[in-house]
Amino acid sequence: MKLNSKGQVTIPANLRRSHGFAEGDEVEVVVDGSTLRIVHAQPELTRGERIVQNMRGRATRGLSTDEIMALLRDE
């Protein structure tokens, strides 16, 4: 598929159906590393809540909560 002059793409009908997207659905484009993902929008969440939800489970350090708090407190 090609990006049009407005930056739009058409999601093929079979993919829309198989992933539960319908005309009029609100969607978001989420950055996932070097990839963009199109996901159902979650209007009940605030922007901050969506950011936290998208980042959850991505930590790369194996620190405990106490170790993280010590770092934040500069202990």
Side-chain angles (χ1 to χ4, degrees):
M1 67 186 78
K2 288 186 180 182
L3 202 61
N4 72 16
S5 63
K6 291 180 168 183
Q8 299 169 329
V9 295
T10 299
I11 303 169
N14 63 324
L15 292 175
R16 291 192 310 266
R17 281 192 299 271
S18 67
H19 289 82
F21 289 96
E23 182 178 346
D25 283 357
E26 294 284 330
V27 298
E28 293 181 8
V29 177
V30 177
V31 177
D32 187 0
S34 62
T35 302
L36 297 177
R37 295 185 304 125
I38 299 172
V39 298
H40 287 97
Q42 297 180 355
E44 69 278 359
L45 299 178
T46 66
R47 180 175 182 271
E49 289 169 331
R50 286 192 306 273
I51 290 169
V52 169
Q53 184 180 48
N54 289 333
M55 293 183 68
R56 192 173 306 280
R58 293 183 183 214
T60 58
R61 311 254 345 236
L63 300 175
S64 70
T65 302
D66 290 334
E67 291 168 323
I68 293 170
M69 293 306 293
L71 286 173
L72 293 172
R73 292 182 183 129
D74 199 28
E75 294 177 359

